[in-house]
Amino acid sequence: MEISQHRNGIREIVRSWRAQGETVALVPTMGALHAGHMALVARAGELADRVVVWIFVNPAQFGDPADLAAYPRAPERDLAMLRAAGVDAAFMPEAGEIYPDGDETIVETTRLANILHGQVRPGHFRGVTTVVAKFFNIIRPDFAIFGEKDYQQLQVIRKMVRDLFMDVEIVSVETVRDDDGLALSSRNIRLSPQDRRAALVLFRALERAGEMACSGTTVEALRTALSAMIGAEPRARLRGIDIVRAETLAPLSGPLTGPAAVLLSAEFGGVLLIDQKVVSP
Ligand code: PAF
């Protein structure tokens, strides 16, 4: 596996593959890899001749410096996992390589970035779209693979690619869960055993949402039921329940008549977790 920390280095590697007519799939990550990331890597390998994984804890998407400092980092372990999975190249730049002195350009989806999770974490999605646009320009992949767990992020990136005519196909992969249902996340290792158990309430609430949608419900009844379930878990600090149109993330009300994305966020012992499910009547 080739490892590069520099824009020009990874560009050269990708150029040499392209010169042989090979296609490239990119898996964006912030490291601390787990089975969820490896599912993205596996999908990338099915789609393209070459797989590049980027590992970059992007400062621009963290509002709170303490959250950035606490973000788990395990580069050696990450590289071992990527080697074992047969990844062709890892791109691990320093922040100065991506945000050089004098850098001032940002990319923002003005509506989608500032609703829902974007209201809870102002500037977060602007940081994501800006870094993703930069990496797309550096690597120019044919495919880029994102997890459905970060559902709003996925829609924001699809919108950016559509609006800016970017020549890359965005491919999504279903959320990978532990056996008990907890969505895999790099943040999970910061949960105490009690908070990890408590966090299962998010999965249970989403299962309940699926059942209620199937048997017919209103958005209001669904929200009340989910709020009561999560509210009954003393270790959970509910941050958001959003029930929105699956593609546009536009608000919904009244009887549920089509596919809706149920987006949950809650803190457990100060660790913010998100989970999602698309439910249909
Ligand atoms: O989903 C993530 O890990 C990050 O938001 C991403 C897409 C790698 C951008 O930093």
Side-chain angles (χ1 to χ4, degrees):
M1 183 174 75
E2 312 228 35
I3 300 172
S4 177
Q5 293 186 305
H6 301 287
R7 299 187 300 268
N8 290 341
I10 192 71
R11 266 197 174 132
E12 266 321 303
I13 292 167
V14 173
R15 265 190 203 131
S16 71
W17 296 337
R18 289 215 176 280
Q20 299 168 50
E22 293 178 318
T23 54
V24 178
L26 174 64
V27 179
T29 84
M30 297 206 297
L33 302 180
H34 52 63
H37 296 109
M38 300 321 283
L40 307 184
V41 168
R43 184 76 187 107
E46 289 165 3
L47 288 166
D49 302 311
R50 298 288 188 166
V51 175
V52 180
V53 175
W54 104 50
I55 298 176
F56 180 63
V57 183
N58 174 31
Q61 69 189 75
F62 289 82
D64 175 3
D67 199 22
L68 172 63
Y71 199 84
R73 289 161 172 88
E76 291 312 319
R77 193 176 152 272
D78 291 346
L79 290 174
M81 287 170 77
L82 297 181
R83 267 192 207 99
V87 165
D88 297 283
F91 180 38
M92 308 173 73
E94 296 290 334
E97 187 75 5
I98 300 303
Y99 300 104
D101 283 347
D103 179 88
E104 61 176 82
T105 304
I106 55 168
V107 179
E108 184 169 30
T109 56
T110 50
R111 183 186 68 86
L112 272 183
N114 293 304
I115 57 173
L116 309 174
H117 200 57
Q119 280 179 320
V120 183
R121 298 179 72 190
H124 169 73
F125 288 114
R126 181 175 54 222
V128 171
T129 41
T130 299
V131 82
V132 171
K134 284 172 182 265
F135 278 87
F136 282 180
N137 278 337
I138 295 169
I139 294 165
R140 300 185 175 267
D142 299 282
F143 305 94
I145 326 294
F146 292 86
E148 286 175 7
K149 183 169 85 71
D150 296 308
Y151 190 80
Q152 185 173 0
Q153 167 172 286
L154 177 63
Q155 303 309 324
V156 163
I157 287 164
R158 285 193 191 285
K159 187 88 179 96
M160 170 186 78
V161 164
R162 200 163 43 222
D163 289 354
L164 295 182
F165 315 113
M166 291 177 165
D167 193 14
V168 53
E169 187 178 327
I170 303 300
V171 176
S172 68
V173 171
E174 232 177 79
T175 303
V176 180
R177 297 179 180 279
D178 268 335
D179 289 344
D180 57 9
L182 186 71
L184 296 191
S185 160
S186 304
R187 292 170 187 259
N188 291 357
I189 55 173
R190 289 169 54 203
L191 293 169
S192 69
Q194 296 87 332
D195 285 323
R196 194 199 169 286
R197 260 195 308 280
L200 289 175
V201 71
L202 296 181
F203 175 64
R204 286 199 301 273
L206 291 173
E207 291 291 286
R208 179 82 190 109
E211 290 159 12
M212 285 181 72
C214 260
S215 53
T217 184
T218 63
V219 171
E220 293 72 17
L222 188 52
R223 185 175 289 108
T224 305
L226 299 182
S227 170
M229 266 183 94
I230 300 170
E233 169 48 66
R235 303 186 80 89
R237 192 165 152 239
L238 182 59
R239 295 289 293 271
I241 298 178
D242 295 296
I243 303 165
V244 291
R245 225 174 271 285
E247 274 206 358
T248 59
L249 307 186
L252 282 170
S253 60
L256 202 65
T257 53
V262 179
L263 312 176
L264 303 179
S265 53
E267 275 180 36
F268 299 85
V271 180
L272 179 65
L273 297 184
I274 59 172
D275 205 348
Q276 64 78 30
K277 185 181 179 79
V278 175
V279 299
S280 300

